[in-house]
Amino acid sequence: MKIHNIPPEDVLKSLFVSEKGLTGKEAESRLSEFGRNEIKEVKKKSLVKKFLEQFTHFLAILLWIASFFCFLSEYLHPGEGMLTLGLAIVGVIVINAIFTFIQEYRAEKALEALKKMLPSYVMVLRDGQERKVPAAEVAPGDIISLSEGDRVPADARLIKASGLMVNNAPLTGESESLPRNADRFDGELIESPNIAFAGTAVMSGSGKAVVFATGMSTEFGRIAHLTDAVEAGLSPLQREIVKVTRVVAVIATLMGVVFFALGHFIGRSFWENFIFAIGIIVANVPEGLLPTVTLSLAMGSQRMAKKNALIKTLTSVEALGSVTVICTDKTGTLTQNIMSVREIWFDGRAMDIADENIKKAGELLRIAVLCNNAKIVDGGYRGDPTETALLETGLKLLGDVNAERILEIPFDSDKKLMTTVDKIVKSDPEASGQLLTSIFIAHTKGAMETLLPLCTRVLINGKTMPIDTIREQLITTYNSMTGKGLRVLAFAFKEIENSFKFQVSSAKLKEKNSSLVTHHSLLEKNMVFAGLIGLEDPPRPEVPQAIEKCREAGIRVIMITGDSSRTAEAIAREIGLVRENPVIIEGHEFLKMTDKELRDAIKGKEVIFSRMSPKHKMRLVSVLKDEGEIVAVTGDGVNDAPALKKADVGIAMGMTGTDVAKESADIILLDDNFATIVNAIEEGRTVYENIRKFVSYIFSSNIPEIVPYLAYVIFRIPLPLTIIQILAVDLGTDLFPALALGAEKPLPEIMKQPPRSPEERLLNFPTLSRAYFFLGPIEAVAGLFGFFYVLKSGGWQWGEMLSLGNILYMQATTACLTAIIITQIANIFACRSMKESVFTLGFFSNKLIFWGIAIEILLQLFIVYHPWGNAIFGTSPIGPEIWLILSLFSVILFFSEELRKYITRKVDF
């Protein structure tokens, strides 16, 4: 018989597993036999194919065409140096391909390393003990525990289920949650309600199941057509870089054509004009820009990971810099998620947990222990922090509580209640001797405003009395406790009459979800109110400073919590989120509001949402986005997934978050800390600004590369800078300092500026005008000065044309190239900030810049003084006095930019 056709009691036997689960050796043996529990990609693009693709993109094709014409011209008109130029351009294509491939490979490996930082884990029963193991190490025969928010790791047959609902969307495409049970099923496997399939999500309830298929043997593995690996698309920033690069290339080509025609018109030869046209194209095209940007984003992701923010997509790095609103949970994000019982109300009075009379609250503490899903595992408490605090306190004061759970109605985020039915054995006072009898008691805990209306009586000093006699005192006490920032839970119970016992017993045997619905209304009414317990969850110490940072950065923070309004406001004031009179919207008010009313409400400076259900976040995020806000939202539960996907930046909790939430999010907080979100936003802004810095740096050298060609055509002078020397700058000396700029630390003012508009372009007018009309012209003047200074010193006369092999000519072009390199050294310091002085930033605060400069100088020394460098780049050694004279232009550029920044700061002030 098939696994789903047999009754639950025979499942373990059929898979040769004991009730204690597999032993460690059995698990290893089965892993060896069946393989790791992984879905394998059948086909992935090879490294060779990825490398070859670097030779066929838009810029490469443009350069291939240029090299073809060079070789053709050498064939038709030999002796003009076209062969050398053609080989140089082919060299550029190869060098650029290698550089791009290495950068993309490093970026890919960096992202893979980040993914490995957060493996998926599963609770399995081995050697009779529950333990957490990586999902990839689950073997056939493993008994696994399933609870709300889990991603099912393998195909498994249920042997126990309590209110279990799963979402089979990854398998069937249907998003509706389906009930699961442990009963045998005679239909098809795929339709069986007793099977939890790999890749599906547990939406509510809990259960135990035995794994019978793993990896590629699962239903998901069979139908997952992974013959073609999904290609990750370019991020908006990368697309912008591609677009800009292509536009620049097209403009450069048009410029080449126009000046080719102009040269022909003023009498230049075809080959002179052809060299000019190729030079203009090569000088303008930023060959190494895209791979440098990609690597910078990947480096930013790695830096964020070190700060406990795991970035799943490069797009998220950009989006972080634009965030205007953070919708954050309170518990565990703003607070420490370390719950402890602080105050209790019972028998008509409130007392501190340290009060010696606290042990008299026996019934209240018993409910806290029994209506609870926390467990003791390996000597420690495991489960929801609220429940672990209740369990720890109850067991500490009462000792062991003997009872058998018969039924559970799981916590409902709408009703904010959880109920269990427990069988308690006690002596019968009416019988003689030690006759024991079993009683069934419903225990309920939840929100005060939901539970109090379900109670008709209250327990005072061991006796029950009408609830109305003490209702006002209860409400006053509740308000007092929540006003202290405590999370307050109410507790109630009800003994179930004999006529109900059979129904409960049958519910236990059937374990069907329909039984929960049947008994729901019967259990949770006419209850006896037992008391209140107030729990404290202290704020994280870093949060107040992070909140202040957000305020200075123009980012609004909206608290969303399931706690009461008073608790939420008290915590909000403690952390500095609220200073005035906030807009507080409770869940029931939220449901009644129209979208227009909600839009008006969220325009307030300080907004808190209390008693909210996670599933309502989706609507709030949608309304905020409709108002033009860039929204980051936190979440950890299954119901948070739609909001995490809808938000511009979805942020899941790494420590307490469910698998479903983590898969839906863009960023995973490894420490669940709100301050980490703010640090990630700061890093996101910094990454974007750093990219803009090195783009400005790279584009600045375009002007001193273009101007010599314009002078060559218009003034009929020897060409001051050869194409090969341009390539030495673009693909040699510029690259390492540019990468160093990508590692700049956040500027002091980065979190004192308003969020960046998504419409703001990377290459905006201020950036381009600074590069093309301010820094670039200074470098161009330096280059031409060096060129003419060497020519005049050697006796050159205006109008005299020099051959390519002339020593004086080669020294002059060397001086022009050296001038560009020297001024670019000053430019790297200039580009570290658009407004802040280098002296304010700290001259030595980015040590990578000095490594970049050192490599830049070493490369230039090789080009100028080594015979190989002379031969490749057409250079000739120059005297040290030339370096000294050209260094003055570096000083001029540096202090000119410092003056511009000073004026800009004064104008802005």
Side-chain angles (χ1 to χ4, degrees):
M1 295 180 71
K2 294 183 178 179
I3 192 75
H4 62 292
N5 300 144
I6 59 178
E9 56 268 22
D10 294 339
V11 172
L12 294 177
K13 190 185 302 180
S14 69
L15 291 168
F16 305 101
V17 188
S18 74
E19 292 182 354
K20 294 183 178 181
L22 297 175
T23 65
K25 288 185 178 180
E26 285 175 335
E28 286 181 16
S29 173
R30 297 192 185 197
L31 272 174
S32 177
E33 180 181 354
F34 297 102
R36 288 171 65 82
N37 181 35
E38 295 173 330
I39 302 296
K40 298 173 183 175
E41 293 183 1
V42 178
K43 184 180 178 182
K44 195 172 182 179
K45 195 178 290 183
S46 68
L47 291 177
V48 173
K49 187 175 181 181
K50 287 183 178 181
F51 178 65
L52 292 177
E53 284 181 351
Q54 306 304 328
F55 294 91
T56 57
H57 57 76
F58 177 78
L59 292 180
I61 291 171
L62 198 67
L63 293 173
W64 278 122
I65 293 171
S67 65
F68 169 77
F69 280 116
C70 287
F71 294 136
L72 180 63
S73 64
E74 177 66 23
Y75 175 76
L76 296 175
H77 197 277
E80 294 290 334
M82 290 294 106
L83 177 61
T84 304
L85 180 58
L87 291 173
I89 293 175
V90 171
V92 168
I93 298 171
V94 173
I95 292 170
N96 191 44
I98 293 171
F99 176 74
T100 305
F101 173 75
I102 290 172
Q103 302 294 62
E104 290 182 355
Y105 180 76
R106 286 182 62 193
E108 184 180 313
K109 287 298 178 185
L111 292 178
E112 286 180 7
L114 291 175
K115 289 177 183 177
K116 290 178 182 177
M117 291 179 64
L118 202 73
S120 178
Y121 287 93
V122 185
M123 292 299 296
V124 303
L125 185 67
R126 287 187 184 168
D127 295 312
Q129 293 186 337
E130 273 199 326
R131 61 183 64 177
K132 186 184 286 188
V133 301
E137 295 179 11
V138 171
D142 264 326
I143 300 175
I144 60 174
S145 296
L146 299 174
S147 57
E148 182 178 318
D150 286 347
R151 180 70 65 184
V152 181
D155 287 355
R157 169 66 158 89
L158 288 162
I159 54 175
K160 185 177 180 182
S162 177
L164 190 65
M165 302 285 285
V166 300
N167 185 322
N168 281 351
L171 200 65
T172 65
E174 299 295 328
S175 59
E176 187 176 349
S177 297
L178 302 172
R180 304 282 94 172
N181 61 62
D183 296 343
R184 60 171 292 174
F185 181 74
D186 294 325
E188 293 295 323
L189 178 75
I190 194 69
E191 297 173 355
S192 178
N194 62 27
I195 301 294
F197 292 102
T200 59
V202 179
M203 306 307 289
S204 63
S206 60
K208 286 190 180 296
V210 186
V211 173
F212 64 86
T214 59
M216 297 302 289
S217 299
T218 62
E219 287 298 312
F220 187 79
R222 290 193 184 104
I223 67 171
H225 301 294
L226 298 176
T227 52
D228 292 307
V230 178
E231 291 294 320
L234 294 177
S235 70
L237 176 60
Q238 290 169 311
R239 286 197 295 270
E240 183 185 347
I241 293 294
V242 171
K243 182 179 178 181
V244 167
T245 305
R246 290 183 176 181
V247 169
V248 169
V250 170
I251 292 172
T253 304
L254 291 175
M255 284 179 64
V257 172
V258 169
F259 281 97
F260 180 91
L262 177 62
H264 179 73
F265 178 75
I266 62 176
R268 288 279 191 182
S269 71
F270 173 85
W271 302 112
E272 289 175 321
N273 293 329
F274 182 75
I275 292 173
F276 169 75
I278 297 296
I280 285 291
I281 293 171
V282 173
N284 273 282
V285 174
E287 295 90 352
L289 185 57
L290 180 58
T292 307
V293 168
T294 303
L295 182 62
S296 181
L297 288 171
M299 288 167 62
S301 298
Q302 286 182 311
R303 287 198 299 272
M304 289 186 195
K306 290 178 182 177
K307 296 180 179 179
N308 293 318
L310 180 60
I311 308 297
K312 290 174 62 181
T313 59
L314 292 181
T315 313
S316 309
V317 180
E318 305 161 40
L320 276 168
S322 301
V323 166
T324 60
V325 175
I326 303 173
C327 295
T328 178
D329 295 323
K330 176 184 73 69
T331 303
T333 308
L334 296 174
T335 61
Q336 297 180 34
N337 207 20
I338 303 174
M339 290 286 183
S340 57
V341 175
R342 282 288 172 263
E343 196 169 330
I344 289 181
W345 181 95
F346 74 101
D347 284 350
R349 57 181 178 150
M351 62 180 66
D352 189 84
I353 189 65
D355 195 305
E356 59 183 16
N357 293 313
I358 206 79
K359 291 184 179 180
K360 296 180 180 178
E363 191 61 43
L364 173 60
L365 295 171
R366 186 176 294 106
I367 301 171
V369 170
L370 295 178
C371 188
N372 196 318
N373 282 327
K375 299 177 182 178
I376 299 177
V377 179
D378 296 330
Y381 293 92
R382 180 175 293 169
D384 176 81
T386 299
E387 295 203 322
T388 56
L390 293 173
L391 181 64
E392 183 178 6
T393 301
L395 293 180
K396 181 180 178 181
L397 295 173
L398 292 181
D400 290 337
V401 178
N402 295 317
E404 179 187 355
R405 181 173 295 185
I406 304 300
L407 184 69
E408 175 189 340
I409 301 175
F411 176 78
D412 185 302
S413 59
D414 290 326
K415 294 188 67 177
K416 300 194 181 302
L417 293 177
M418 173 187 175
T419 297
T420 62
V421 175
D422 300 285
K423 178 182 176 182
I424 298 176
V425 179
K426 65 178 184 179
S427 59
D428 188 345
E430 297 180 3
S432 59
Q434 295 295 320
L435 184 63
L436 301 179
T437 184
S438 298
I439 59 171
F440 295 86
I441 301 179
H443 297 118
T444 300
K445 75 167 184 280
M448 170 76 163
E449 61 269 28
T450 308
L451 186 55
L452 186 60
L454 302 177
C455 298
T456 55
R457 303 185 70 78
V458 60
L459 184 68
I460 302 291
N461 296 322
K463 298 180 181 179
T464 66
M465 61 177 62
I467 191 79
D468 290 338
T469 61
I470 205 167
R471 188 182 299 272
E472 290 300 321
Q473 182 191 341
L474 268 175
I475 294 173
T476 301
T477 303
Y478 172 77
N479 289 339
S480 171
M481 292 170 74
T482 55
K484 298 173 185 176
L486 299 180
R487 168 178 286 185
V488 182
L489 294 177
F491 296 79
F493 68 97
K494 178 173 73 173
E495 186 170 337
I496 299 171
E497 298 175 2
N498 290 338
S499 60
F500 195 65
K501 289 181 183 178
F502 176 77
Q503 297 177 34
V504 175
S505 299
S506 64
K508 177 193 173 188
L509 292 174
K510 292 182 179 179
E511 290 182 313
K512 289 186 177 180
N513 293 280
S514 58
S515 65
L516 298 181
V517 178
T518 303
H519 302 314
H520 198 290
S521 58
L522 295 173
L523 292 173
E524 295 174 347
K525 71 176 185 179
N526 298 324
M527 305 195 81
V528 178
F529 194 90
L532 300 170
I533 296 181
L535 300 102
E536 181 183 45
D537 182 13
R540 293 180 180 270
E542 322 88 78
V543 166
Q545 184 181 357
I547 294 286
E548 185 58 32
K549 254 189 178 181
C550 287
R551 189 173 278 114
E552 291 178 350
I555 301 170
R556 281 200 303 154
V557 180
I558 295 176
M559 179 195 287
I560 303 174
T561 179
D563 282 336
S564 70
S565 299
R566 287 175 176 270
T567 301
E569 185 178 355
I571 295 294
R573 290 194 183 280
E574 187 175 350
I575 61 176
L577 180 61
V578 166
R579 293 176 175 176
E580 302 170 6
N581 296 318
V583 176
I584 302 178
I585 301 171
E586 291 205 348
H588 65 91
E589 298 171 333
F590 177 84
L591 293 175
K592 295 176 184 177
M593 297 174 92
T594 64
D595 282 356
K596 183 180 183 304
E597 290 171 335
L598 185 56
R599 285 192 189 96
D600 291 338
I602 60 177
K603 288 177 181 176
K605 286 173 61 179
E606 299 174 344
V607 182
I608 296 174
F609 288 89
S610 63
R611 290 299 188 208
M612 287 282 282
S613 169
K615 67 183 181 182
H616 298 141
K617 285 184 185 177
M618 173 76 166
R619 181 187 173 205
L620 176 59
V621 171
S622 298
V623 170
L624 284 167
K625 290 185 71 172
D626 289 343
E627 288 295 291
E629 304 283 4
I630 307 299
V631 185
V633 65
T634 67
D636 56 8
V638 173
N639 290 335
D640 289 319
L644 291 171
K645 286 184 177 179
K646 179 72 175 176
D648 296 282
V649 182
I651 304 170
M653 303 297 110
M655 296 175 68
T656 59
T658 61
D659 293 342
V660 178
K662 291 172 188 175
E663 289 180 11
S664 302
D666 304 297
I667 296 173
I668 299 172
L669 297 186
L670 302 180
D671 60 356
D672 293 6
N673 195 334
F674 178 81
T676 301
I677 302 174
V678 182
N679 290 337
I681 290 175
E682 183 176 37
E683 190 65 51
R685 290 187 177 191
T686 301
V687 166
Y688 196 89
E689 284 304 310
N690 286 351
I691 291 172
R692 178 171 280 166
K693 289 171 191 175
F694 68 65
V695 165
S696 177
Y697 174 77
I698 289 171
F699 275 69
S700 295
S701 63
N702 280 5
I703 297 301
E705 292 171 352
I706 294 170
V707 168
Y709 281 84
L710 298 179
Y712 166 68
V713 170
I714 296 172
F715 301 114
R716 299 188 66 83
I717 60 173
L719 183 61
L721 194 68
T722 66
I723 297 172
I724 296 175
Q725 289 167 353
I726 289 173
L727 298 177
V729 176
D730 290 352
L731 289 174
T733 57
D734 266 4
L735 284 182
F736 296 100
L739 287 174
L741 281 174
E744 279 287 323
K745 295 178 181 178
L747 293 173
E749 77 273 11
I750 197 77
M751 289 299 282
K752 295 181 181 179
Q753 300 170 353
R756 174 178 55 82
S757 168
E759 304 302 319
E760 183 182 338
R761 300 271 63 89
L762 176 72
L763 297 175
N764 55 19
F765 180 74
T767 302
L768 288 177
S769 61
R770 177 176 176 238
Y772 281 161
F773 304 131
F774 185 71
L775 299 173
I778 297 174
E779 293 189 18
V781 170
L784 290 178
F785 176 86
F787 178 73
F788 286 118
Y789 179 84
V790 171
L791 284 182
K792 282 295 184 181
S793 299
W796 175 80
Q797 298 296 317
W798 191 272
E800 180 184 354
M801 299 305 293
L802 302 174
S803 67
L804 294 177
N806 185 286
I807 296 296
L808 180 62
Y809 172 71
M810 289 193 292
Q811 286 179 329
T813 59
T814 302
C816 182
L817 173 63
T818 302
I820 294 172
I821 301 302
I822 289 175
T823 50
Q824 278 289 82
I825 291 173
N827 189 27
I828 194 171
F829 290 103
C831 290
R832 288 185 63 191
S833 166
M834 281 289 287
K835 295 180 182 179
E836 289 296 318
S837 168
V838 172
F839 300 105
T840 303
L841 298 176
F843 206 80
F844 301 98
S845 57
N846 185 353
K847 293 180 175 59
L848 285 178
I849 283 180
F850 291 94
W851 283 107
I853 291 172
I855 295 172
E856 185 175 29
I857 292 172
L858 286 173
L859 284 173
Q860 184 60 11
L861 290 174
F862 169 79
I863 291 169
V864 175
Y865 296 109
H866 198 282
W868 289 1
N870 296 160
I872 295 169
F873 298 100
T875 56
S876 184
I878 57 175
E881 72 280 0
I882 304 297
W883 287 78
L884 187 60
I885 293 170
L886 296 176
S887 297
L888 293 175
F889 287 95
S890 184
V891 175
I892 291 170
L893 185 147
F894 178 82
F895 284 104
S896 296
E897 174 64 4
E898 283 292 305
L899 179 61
R900 186 201 65 79
K901 290 176 181 177
Y902 175 77
I903 294 171
T904 303
R905 291 196 300 272
K906 287 295 182 183
V907 170
D908 289 347
F909 182 76

